[in-house]
């Protein structure tokens, strides 16, 4: 027997601020192998063409479809309806700018975070097209990749209480991004320079350790380990900074 | 009209995937002001979904020893079934190693050579200690050497994130959540694009000295595709709609052998490259029966056809979603699967609830890649229009001919980005800024009117439902213009698509179409998509031979006498179907011959037929 | 990113130092709490043992020293954590709504942390005032426990143990080294143990008070 499912979906269009945010109920019949990707597209095509949400790869690779499914931040595309109760509430991720219904502007948030953390390889070396590539231990490459796997879906940010009240906080995604470059021998930044970026309340020391990020990361990045790694490195850097004259820091 | 925003830039790049960003970087490094437009945040582009790898003949692994651009060249040309431009292929294979190393310099954590023991297909692989720490490579279909550089299970992801980090570093302007809906041109020269903001629905014009189409493929024209939902061929449609820019080889559509049933998400070629088998309903490994030499690792067109052939012979596994075969990677071991093929394990777990360490994966050939696209010369300049460039999957640079090798598309994006990007920079510097305001406003007004027309008729009963039309189009292509093609169904497809194109003029929105309404976006896009579908179907109907992925059951042989040529599809203004012209394919080094696999290969064909008839138990 | 105000005023290490103060003061309070529990558990050995310990502390002026120490560490801890507690009404509303929305156990425990912290502050002040004023003596304690203060001490025991356990958990979570699940188990066991010790101690005092 196919179940009748109810989806209680958050509706709000910033273009019509006079219409209050509300939860709207939609009903449809469950199909085998159905995901929220299928559900939402069906609802838009058959019941409500104005429904706004974001999907791109629908394979849990691109990170577009982060949302709160019954309160839990996760990727809608990989959420199977068979794992859901008869009534499911869908809300957009908090923290990010709301573009309409379930669609939020994660892209802009992550771009700003990447700029703030200067998330690129810092080096003075110039690329030599004729030279053999610089060698790297494969274990190091895998470590970098482990942090690089972040798909910028924003589930760790939306689920983070601190990020919800402190807009400047770079969150687990930001700290993990910094960890990725710290691990990379090609990036020549010193620990003191990293300290400038994340050794603050907006960075790793703003984390109060609630670990909603670690619990909700849909691609399973060990965020708690990454946070702890950066925290320890930054604590060591902070400890050493003591010896410098304060004027040199400004 | 004056209330529309108009932005001016030197170079306008439509699409922020690997190709677009790489070209943008090259132009920005030349000191130009570059603006990239993207439907989605750049890092969500479909480039990120490429799990497998990027081909470059570094020859660092034991199984790639002695590799060279020459061998890569031969593989690529054979893979294309002699449909590619050999000048382009030569330029590409020579540049690929540099491009890979450059990406390493920018930060891609390529998987490196280690001395770890590894058994492959029963043989122990001993790596050269002198090569430890250099960029490793894995095996991919249709290649003579192990040549595909990779980052564990996320090559596209790390390439795109690294590329985008360079874009950030250089301060290149990126506008995301915008959609180019029209090129601004005077029939000879391109001046930028009219763009719809997907946040607010407002129209803007971007005026540029050079405009670059790097918007990816059109996989979503087919109902079942491995592609992301944004791959709707919009950039190709922009070019086609100028009436003067042709699309090349649109009938060359790649079907990937292993799309997972039933969500059609891609299971990377790395699965077979790393030693996975294809099994039929009797759990018999059937590929060696058909392709004794390359087995599971013949080129994609061949493997896809062999699977369908085997299913047609009654050896498919029945399922509610139609028959399929199994992909078996269990023997690769848990450790390998959980590192180098982790993405596959995740997809199997998330979407099918199975664990490939212990379970078989249900797969069937699925639309995957478009070899065709905006036809350009070797510098990436579009045919028929000045100051318009195209590259990546959106273009027909013609590196892939009628079948692309796995690992050559990521490589193409980066290599073409480097080469075409430099050409863009040169061309832009030679072009003086020329803002033709009347032309800009005329284009804005026309697009604005198109939107107003749709809105004016919205909600009223009658007319065509955009989603219903779209599904019809998907179905026509999937059923009639798939892996096996014949005259009758192709004629039917063309007729139906022409009819669909006519009906698409009467789309009526169900909703109000206000602001950035998604239904309105779909309605604006659909007519262009149907035109692309018609280019594919008509090209397939006219091409009376079999070459690479284009397989005509009524013309099963490659015909180098009559068909060693490239299809160019034009859509003259006001026409109701494309006009096809042809140009010769440039053969410089390697004259047409035997691929060494596939039906055209005498060896494989006979061996396959005998075994297929006699064996499957 | 450096702005003028930050460049002029900010010690780049300040956030790190405050974090450090919070952790160190928290750890000191945990150590104190557990020592305290053991000391009062001296009553298990009898009234004599308890009074001897109290006398020893009195003799070497350990009681006032402890009070001074506690006041300092308390102030440091409060000063450090207060930056974390949502101060404005608006922030409070967001945090509570957020916790309700995402249904995440650790997030709830943080809110309780703020609440229990505030409650402990109030109760501890009373407790310290009483103890400093009246001194330590088994007779006084058992009388207090029996005559109305039982609920007070039970609450203080539970709250401070909960607060300490969660605080300790967070320190380990934030700095790494230990797995979260095993951490939860170990800390849970320690909490149960400490509460049990405290409860038995309270029970003994209560019965002593009843006999008196």
């Amino acid at each position: 027997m196919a179940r009748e499912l109810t989806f209680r979906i958050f509706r709000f269009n910033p273009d019509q601020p006079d219409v209050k945010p509300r939860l709207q109920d939609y009903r449809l019949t469950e199909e085998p192998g159905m995901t929220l990707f299928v559900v939402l597209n069906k609802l838009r095509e058959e019941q409500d063409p104005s429904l706004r949400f974001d999907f791109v790869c629908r394979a849990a690779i691109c990170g577009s479809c982060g949302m709160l499914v019954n309160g839990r931040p996760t990727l809608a595309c990989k959420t199977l309806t068979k794992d859901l109760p008869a009534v499911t509430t869908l809300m957009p991720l908090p923290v990010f700018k709301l573009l309409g219904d379930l669609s939020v502007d994660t892209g802009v948030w992550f771009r700003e975070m990447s700029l703030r953390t200067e998330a690129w390889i810092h080096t003075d070396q110039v690329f030599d097209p004729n030279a053999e590539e610089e060698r790297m231990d494969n274990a190091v490459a895998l470590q970098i990749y482990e942090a690089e796997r972040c798909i910028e879906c924003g589930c760790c940010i939306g689920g983070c209480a601190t990020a919800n009240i402190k807009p400047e906080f770079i969150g687990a995604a930001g700290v993990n991004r910094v960890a990725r470059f710290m691990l990379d021998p090609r990036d020549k930044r010193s620990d003191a320079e990293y300290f400038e970026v994340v050794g603050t309340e907006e960075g790793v020391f703003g984390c109060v350790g609630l670990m909603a990020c670690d619990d909700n990361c849909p691609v399973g990045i060990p965020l708690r380990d990454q946070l702890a790694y950066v925290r320890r490195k930054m604590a060591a850097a902070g400890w050493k900074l003591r010896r410098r004259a304060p004027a040199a820091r400004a | 009209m004056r209330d529309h925003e108009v932005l001016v830039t030197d170079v306008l790049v439509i699409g922020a995937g690997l190709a677009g960003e790489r070209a943008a970087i090259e132009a920005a490094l030349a000191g130009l002001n570059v603006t990239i437009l993207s439907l989605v945040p750049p890092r969500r582009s479909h480039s990120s979904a490429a799990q497998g790898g990027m081909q470059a003949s570094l020859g660092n692994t034991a199984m790639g020893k002695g590799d060279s651009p020459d061998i890569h060249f031969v593989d690529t040309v054979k893979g294309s079934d002699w449909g590619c431009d050999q000048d382009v292929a030569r330029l590409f294979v020579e540049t690929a190693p540099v491009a890979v190393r450059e990406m390493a310099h920018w930060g891609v954590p390529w998987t490196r050579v280690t001395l770890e023991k590894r058994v492959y297909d029963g043989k122990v692989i001993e790596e050269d200690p002198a090569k430890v720490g250099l960029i490793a490579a894995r095996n991919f279909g249709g290649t003579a050497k192990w040549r595909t550089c990779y980052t564990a299970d996320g090559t596209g992801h790390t390439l795109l994130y690294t590329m985008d980090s360079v874009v950030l570093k250089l301060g290149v302007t990126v506008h995301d959540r915008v959609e180019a809906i029209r090129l601004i041109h005077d029939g000879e020269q391109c001046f930028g694009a009219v763009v719809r903001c997907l946040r607010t629905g407002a129209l803007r014009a971007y005026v540029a000295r050079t405009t670059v189409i790097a918007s990816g493929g059109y996989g979503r024209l087919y109902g079942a595709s491995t592609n992301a939902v944004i791959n709707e061929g919009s950039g190709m449609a922009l070019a086609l709609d100028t009436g003067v820019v042709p699309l090349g080889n649109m009938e060359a559509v790649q079907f990937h052998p292993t799309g997972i049933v039933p969500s059609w998400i891609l299971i990377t070629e790395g699965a077979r490259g790393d030693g996975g088998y294809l099994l039929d309903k009797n759990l018999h490994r059937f590929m060696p029966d058909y392709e004794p030499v390359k087995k599971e690792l013949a080129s994609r067109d061949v493997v896809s056809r062999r699977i369908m052939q085997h299913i047609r012979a009654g050896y498919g596994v029945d399922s509610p979603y139609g028959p399929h075969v199994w992909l078996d990677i269990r023997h690769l071991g848990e450790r390998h699967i959980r590192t180098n093929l982790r993405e596959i394990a995740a997809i199997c777990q998330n979407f099918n609830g199975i664990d490939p360490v212990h379970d078989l994966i249900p797969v069937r050939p699925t639309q995957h890649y478009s070899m065709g696209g905006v036809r350009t010369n070797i510098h990436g300049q579009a045919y028929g229009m000045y100051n318009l460039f195209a590259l990546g999957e959106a273009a027909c640079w013609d590196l892939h001919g009628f079948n692309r090798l796995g690992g050559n598309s990521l490589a193409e994006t980066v290599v073409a980005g480097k080469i075409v990007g430099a050409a863009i920079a040169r061309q832009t510097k030679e072009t003086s800024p020329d803002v033709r305001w009347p032309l800009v406003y005329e284009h804005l007004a026309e697009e604005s009117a198109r939107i107003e027309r749709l809105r004016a008729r919205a909600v009223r009963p009658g007319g065509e439902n955009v989603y219903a039309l779209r599904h019809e189009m998907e179905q026509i292509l999937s059923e009639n213009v798939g892996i096996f093609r014949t005259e009758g169904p192709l004629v039917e497809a063309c007729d139906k698509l022409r009819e669909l194109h006519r009906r698409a003029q009467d789309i009526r929105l169900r909703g109000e179409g206000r602001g950035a309404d998604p239904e309105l976006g779909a309605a604006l896009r659909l007519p262009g998509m149907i035109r692309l579908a018609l280019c594919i179907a008509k090209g397939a109907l006219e091409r009376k031979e079999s070459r690479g992925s284009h397989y005509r059951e009524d013309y099963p042989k490659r015909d180098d006498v009559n068909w060693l040529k490239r299809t160019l599809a034009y859509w003259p203004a006001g026409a109701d179907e494309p006009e096809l012209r042809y140009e010769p394919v440039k053969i410089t080094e390697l004259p047409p011959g035997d691929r060494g696999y596939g039906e055209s290969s005498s060896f494989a064909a006979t061996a396959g037929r005998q075994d297929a008839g006699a064996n499957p138990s | 990113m450096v702005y003028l105000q930050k460049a002029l005023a900010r010690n780049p290490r300040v956030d790190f130092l405050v974090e450090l103060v919070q952790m160190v003061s928290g750890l000191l309070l945990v150590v104190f709490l557990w020592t305290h529990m053991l000391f009062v558990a001296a009553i298990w050995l009898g009234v004599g043992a308890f009074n001897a310990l109290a006398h020893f502390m009195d003799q070497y002026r350990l009681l006032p020293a402890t009070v001074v120490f506690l006041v300092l560490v308390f102030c440091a801890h409060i000063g450090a954590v207060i930056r974390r507690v949502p101060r404005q009404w608006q922030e409070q509303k967001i945090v509570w709504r957020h916790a309700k929305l995402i249904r995440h156990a650790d997030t709830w425990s943080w809110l309780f942390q703020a609440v229990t912290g505030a409650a402990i502050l109030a109760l501890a002040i009373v407790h310290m005032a009483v103890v400093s004023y009246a001194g330590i003596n088994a007779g006084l304690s058992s009388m207090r426990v029996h005559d109305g203060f039982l609920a007070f001490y039970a609450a203080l025991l539970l709250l401070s143990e909960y607060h300490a356990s969660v605080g300790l958990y967070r320190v380990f979570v934030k700095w790494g080294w230990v797995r979260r699940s095993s951490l939860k188990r170990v800390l849970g066991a320690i909490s149960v143990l400490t509460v049990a010790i405290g409860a038995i101690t309270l029970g003994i005092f209560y019965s002593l008070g009843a006999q008196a």
Side-chain angles (χ1 to χ4, degrees):
Chain A
M1 242 322 263
R3 288 193 298 168
E4 278 294 312
L5 299 176
T6 301
F7 290 93
R8 199 152 282 169
I9 298 177
F10 177 86
R11 300 301 310 272
F12 179 64
N13 185 350
D15 293 343
Q16 298 162 274
D18 42 314
V19 183
K20 281 228 160 88
R22 66 197 186 281
L23 289 172
Q24 190 171 340
D25 280 7
Y26 297 90
R27 258 170 279 283
L28 89 177
T29 310
E30 188 172 28
E31 293 165 11
M34 199 178 221
T35 62
L36 285 183
F37 167 72
V38 177
V39 169
L40 287 168
N41 277 292
K42 242 177 133 62
L43 291 180
R44 175 146 88 195
E45 291 180 12
E46 293 166 9
Q47 299 188 27
D48 190 339
S50 68
L51 195 58
R52 285 175 70 176
F53 49 81
D54 295 317
F55 286 102
V56 178
C57 77
R58 61 82 175 86
I61 294 168
C62 75
S64 300
C65 61
M67 60 180 73
L68 299 180
V69 180
N70 287 327
R72 186 161 186 253
T74 190
L75 297 178
C77 71
K78 69 161 193 171
T79 305
L80 295 161
T81 54
K82 74 174 174 59
D83 300 329
L84 296 175
V87 180
T88 296
T89 307
L90 300 179
M91 306 266 278
L93 281 181
V95 181
F96 305 101
K97 187 181 166 194
L98 191 55
L99 294 175
D101 304 338
L102 300 173
S103 173
V104 289
D105 211 337
T106 44
V108 165
W109 191 96
F110 274 93
R111 229 160 169 76
E112 276 167 12
M113 180 275 281
S114 293
L115 282 169
R116 278 175 59 198
T117 55
E118 302 191 9
W120 52 81
I121 298 279
H122 289 54
T123 180
D124 295 331
Q125 260 174 309
V126 181
F127 175 65
D128 176 359
N130 300 313
E132 191 179 71
E133 64 271 21
E134 226 176 281
R135 282 170 203 252
M136 182 186 276
D137 184 19
N138 194 48
V140 175
L142 283 174
Q143 261 185 324
I144 297 170
Y145 177 58
E146 191 64 14
E148 177 110 324
R149 282 173 54 233
C150 169
I151 56 172
E152 300 195 347
C153 62
C155 287
C156 62
I157 305 301
C160 174
T162 308
N164 269 271
I165 50 173
K166 300 213 163 103
E168 294 294 303
F169 182 49
I170 61 171
V175 174
N176 176 64
R177 178 61 43 80
V178 174
R180 180 248 172 272
F181 288 95
M182 277 181 178
L183 288 162
D184 197 323
R186 290 167 294 198
D187 196 312
K188 306 298 182 206
R189 272 179 282 186
S190 67
D191 282 353
E193 283 169 282
Y194 282 122
F195 192 87
E196 192 75 32
V197 177
V198 281
T200 61
E201 193 67 9
E202 289 83 49
V204 71
F205 295 127
C207 165
V208 297
L210 304 183
M211 294 296 128
C213 53
D214 193 54
D215 290 330
N216 289 320
C217 176
V219 290
I221 296 173
L223 287 172
R224 184 230 168 186
D225 295 346
Q226 305 286 25
L227 283 161
Y229 165 76
V230 173
R231 175 180 287 266
R232 293 195 299 263
K233 269 200 93 114
M234 288 303 95
W239 196 253
K240 280 183 208 142
L241 270 180
R242 177 170 61 143
R243 292 183 200 129
R244 283 203 212 162
R249 297 300 314 159
Chain B
M1 271 302 86
R2 303 290 140 131
D3 49 341
H4 290 297
E5 200 180 354
V6 177
L7 294 99
V8 181
T9 180
D10 290 335
V11 181
L12 180 68
V13 181
I14 300 168
L18 277 172
E21 289 209 326
R22 184 62 189 85
I25 288 169
E26 204 62 26
L29 286 172
L32 293 162
N33 184 354
V34 185
T35 302
I36 308 180
L37 306 181
S38 180
L39 288 170
V40 295
R43 294 182 185 201
R44 312 238 186 271
S45 302
H46 196 49
S47 304
S48 73
Q51 301 157 27
M54 164 170 176
Q55 282 207 41
S57 53
L58 298 174
N60 291 330
T61 35
M63 298 294 278
K65 204 172 173 195
D67 199 8
S68 68
D70 292 337
I71 305 176
H72 190 183
F73 174 83
V74 171
D75 284 345
T76 301
V77 175
K78 279 186 183 171
S80 79
D81 221 352
W82 280 269
C84 73
D85 182 307
Q86 296 194 5
D87 279 339
V88 168
R90 175 49 72 181
L91 180 64
F92 163 76
V93 296
E94 298 289 345
T95 316
V98 182
V100 164
R101 290 181 176 132
E102 189 170 42
M103 291 312 297
H105 178 75
W106 281 338
V108 171
W110 294 111
T111 297
R112 304 294 175 135
V113 177
T114 63
L115 289 178
E116 202 177 315
K117 278 267 176 302
R118 175 141 178 238
V119 179
Y120 184 85
D121 215 10
K123 282 179 295 194
V124 179
I125 300 171
E126 303 263 7
E127 295 294 347
D128 180 358
K131 299 283 189 186
V132 168
L134 295 176
I135 296 171
R138 60 163 43 140
N139 199 7
F140 253 40
T143 61
K145 300 277 181 189
W146 287 26
R147 185 186 298 130
T148 306
C149 310
Y150 64 105
T151 318
D153 65 330
T155 316
H157 174 90
T158 56
L159 278 170
L160 184 63
Y161 272 51
T162 301
M163 197 72 90
D164 195 50
S165 78
V166 179
V167 165
L168 277 172
K169 178 183 170 185
L170 296 175
V172 175
T173 308
V174 179
H175 291 179
D176 69 356
R177 289 184 185 266
V178 293
E179 178 175 9
I181 56 172
R182 177 96 180 261
L183 292 180
I184 300 169
H185 67 96
D186 60 2
E188 288 175 358
Q189 192 177 336
C190 187
F191 299 97
V194 176
V195 169
R196 178 169 177 254
C197 174
L198 300 180
R199 287 186 176 84
T200 63
L203 286 188
R204 297 202 280 261
Y206 287 76
V207 179
R209 287 150 84 178
T210 48
T211 305
V212 184
I213 295 173
S215 54
Y218 56 61
R220 283 284 155 177
L221 296 184
Y222 283 77
S225 168
T226 64
N227 285 193
V229 298
I230 52 170
N231 297 116
E232 301 182 313
S234 50
M236 298 183 197
L238 290 180
L240 186 68
D241 288 350
T242 59
V244 293
V245 178
L247 303 181
N249 282 348
M250 288 297 277
E251 64 270 31
V253 184
Q254 179 165 84
F255 291 81
H256 195 287
T258 55
I260 197 167
V261 181
S263 58
W264 312 118
I265 293 167
L266 176 70
I267 300 296
T268 170
E269 185 155 325
R272 281 170 294 129
D274 288 4
Y277 303 144
L278 291 169
L279 308 181
D280 63 17
K281 69 174 181 185
N282 301 318
L283 303 187
H284 168 67
R285 184 183 175 196
F286 60 91
M287 276 310 291
D289 303 338
Y290 296 100
E291 299 291 335
V293 184
K294 301 295 283 184
K295 301 172 187 132
E296 278 84 357
L297 287 173
S299 59
R300 287 177 179 173
D301 57 328
V302 172
V303 178
S304 288
R305 273 199 298 279
R306 295 307 196 188
I307 292 174
M308 291 315 289
Q309 189 180 346
H310 203 62
I311 287 176
R312 280 174 164 196
Y315 295 104
V317 184
D318 285 322
S319 83
Y321 312 96
H324 62 78
V325 294
W326 299 114
L327 175 65
D328 183 6
I329 58 171
R330 295 173 301 181
H331 53 284
L332 302 184
E334 175 147 14
R335 176 131 186 275
H336 186 89
I337 293 173
R338 302 249 185 263
T339 51
N340 287 343
L341 299 172
R342 173 163 50 185
E343 193 64 50
I344 295 181
I347 288 167
C348 290
Q349 184 62 53
N350 291 337
F351 299 95
N352 290 54
I354 57 175
D355 180 358
V357 175
H358 308 291
D359 303 315
L360 298 170
I361 310 168
V363 293
R364 192 164 71 199
T366 308
Q367 194 288 339
H368 180 58
Y369 188 83
S370 44
M371 275 73 75
V374 180
R375 177 68 186 130
T376 70
N377 64 15
I378 196 169
H379 306 296
Q381 289 173 308
Y383 279 25
M385 185 162 284
Y386 292 112
N387 298 339
L388 179 64
F389 288 78
L391 74 159
E393 192 177 347
C396 180
W397 193 28
D398 220 357
L399 171 64
H400 308 303
F402 276 79
N403 174 66
R404 169 177 74 75
L405 292 183
N408 259 358
S409 72
L410 276 186
E412 184 197 11
T413 59
V414 180
V415 172
K418 197 171 161 66
I419 294 166
V420 173
I424 291 165
R426 279 196 304 276
Q427 174 74 18
T428 310
K429 286 181 173 174
E430 283 168 18
T431 309
S432 49
D434 178 10
V435 184
R436 307 226 181 139
W437 295 105
L439 197 67
V440 171
Y441 286 119
E442 186 187 308
H443 280 75
L444 269 171
E446 281 173 21
E447 290 308 306
S448 187
R450 190 151 78 99
I451 290 170
E452 284 316 314
R453 265 202 307 280
L454 280 165
R455 282 193 184 137
R457 299 189 305 159
V459 193
R460 288 194 231 150
E464 300 285 350
N465 177 332
V466 61
Y467 297 116
L469 284 188
R470 187 187 162 132
H471 290 310
E472 278 187 52
M473 170 193 73
E474 293 170 356
Q475 201 170 357
I476 294 167
L477 280 185
S478 298
E479 284 175 9
N480 295 15
V481 201
I483 295 176
F484 293 108
R485 303 168 173 181
T486 40
E487 174 116 8
L490 286 173
V491 170
E492 188 191 63
C494 289
D495 292 344
K496 281 185 170 172
L497 286 169
R498 263 194 303 270
E499 169 68 10
L500 220 52
H501 188 242
R502 200 188 47 71
R503 283 166 61 197
Q505 310 308 310
D506 189 30
I507 289 173
R508 203 146 314 173
L509 302 180
R510 295 317 185 241
E512 293 171 21
R514 266 197 270 190
D517 182 62
E519 188 193 18
L520 175 65
L524 289 171
R525 229 170 288 138
L526 187 67
M529 291 167 72
I530 299 175
R531 285 194 282 276
L532 296 183
L534 204 41
C535 290
I536 298 168
K538 193 172 177 193
L541 172 65
E542 294 304 321
R543 183 172 283 275
K544 295 181 171 37
E545 65 154 353
S546 290
R547 185 182 293 274
S549 65
H550 172 71
Y551 190 83
R552 286 284 299 258
E553 291 187 282
D554 39 358
Y555 300 95
K557 288 246 164 357
R558 197 175 77 202
D559 178 358
D560 291 322
V561 178
N562 297 305
W563 285 101
L564 193 56
K565 52 191 185 185
R566 185 175 296 115
T567 310
L568 297 178
Y570 291 82
W571 199 292
D576 62 353
E577 68 174 327
E579 181 188 311
L580 301 187
R581 292 178 213 163
Y582 294 90
E583 67 172 2
V585 173
K586 195 158 187 188
I587 306 288
T588 57
E589 299 176 47
L590 193 66
D594 188 352
R595 295 172 95 187
Y597 49 79
E599 300 84 343
S600 57
S601 171
S602 51
F603 174 57
T606 43
R609 217 170 297 129
Q610 276 164 7
D611 284 0
N615 176 27
S617 47
Chain C
M1 254 177 289
V2 181
Y3 302 95
L4 178 65
Q5 290 300 345
K6 271 192 176 181
L8 289 178
R10 193 171 137 263
N11 173 351
R13 298 204 306 150
V14 70
D15 293 340
F16 163 61
L17 292 176
V18 176
E19 177 78 8
L20 214 57
V21 166
Q22 177 187 337
M23 180 179 72
V24 171
S25 58
L27 287 175
L28 287 174
L29 286 172
V30 171
V31 170
F32 168 78
L33 175 70
W34 287 350
T35 319
H36 179 286
M37 295 309 298
L38 288 178
F39 274 28
V40 293
I43 195 70
W44 293 21
L45 304 176
V47 174
F50 184 88
N51 282 344
L53 189 59
H55 178 72
F56 167 81
M57 289 194 64
D58 217 21
Q59 196 176 15
Y60 292 94
R61 302 209 149 270
L62 284 176
L63 187 60
T66 307
V67 171
V68 171
F69 162 82
L70 270 184
V71 168
L72 284 177
V73 177
F74 251 109
C75 288
H77 195 65
I78 293 162
V81 296
I82 201 81
R83 79 196 195 284
R84 288 282 162 69
V85 179
R87 273 150 290 187
Q88 291 154 12
W89 175 234
Q90 191 60 29
E91 288 185 352
Q92 277 290 342
K93 274 199 302 191
I94 290 175
V95 175
W96 286 92
R97 195 164 46 215
H98 177 73
K100 271 185 254 172
L101 194 60
I102 73 160
R103 304 174 192 180
H104 180 250
D106 279 23
T107 301
W108 276 117
S109 75
W110 181 52
L111 288 176
F112 295 151
Q113 200 70 345
V115 173
T116 52
I120 291 167
L121 180 62
L123 296 183
I125 286 172
V126 173
H127 174 56
M128 277 158 66
V130 168
V131 171
S132 337
Y133 178 73
I136 301 177
N137 166 313
L140 286 173
S141 296
S142 51
M143 244 161 64
R144 275 206 299 275
V145 171
H146 185 255
D147 301 340
F149 267 84
L150 179 66
F152 174 91
Y153 281 115
L156 184 55
L157 170 68
L158 286 172
L159 288 174
S160 49
E161 189 42 53
Y162 173 86
H163 191 93
S165 172
V166 171
L168 209 51
Y169 167 73
R170 282 225 197 299
V171 168
F172 280 107
V173 158
K174 287 199 288 192
W175 292 89
W177 301 304
V178 207
R179 273 186 38 233
R180 275 173 75 197
S181 51
S182 38
L183 191 59
K184 275 186 184 171
R185 265 203 306 281
V186 171
L187 284 173
I190 294 177
S191 304
V192 169
L193 192 70
T194 333
V195 170
I197 293 173
I200 293 170
T201 310
L202 277 179
I204 294 172
F205 277 124
Y206 189 82
S207 57
L208 283 173
Q211 286 160 20

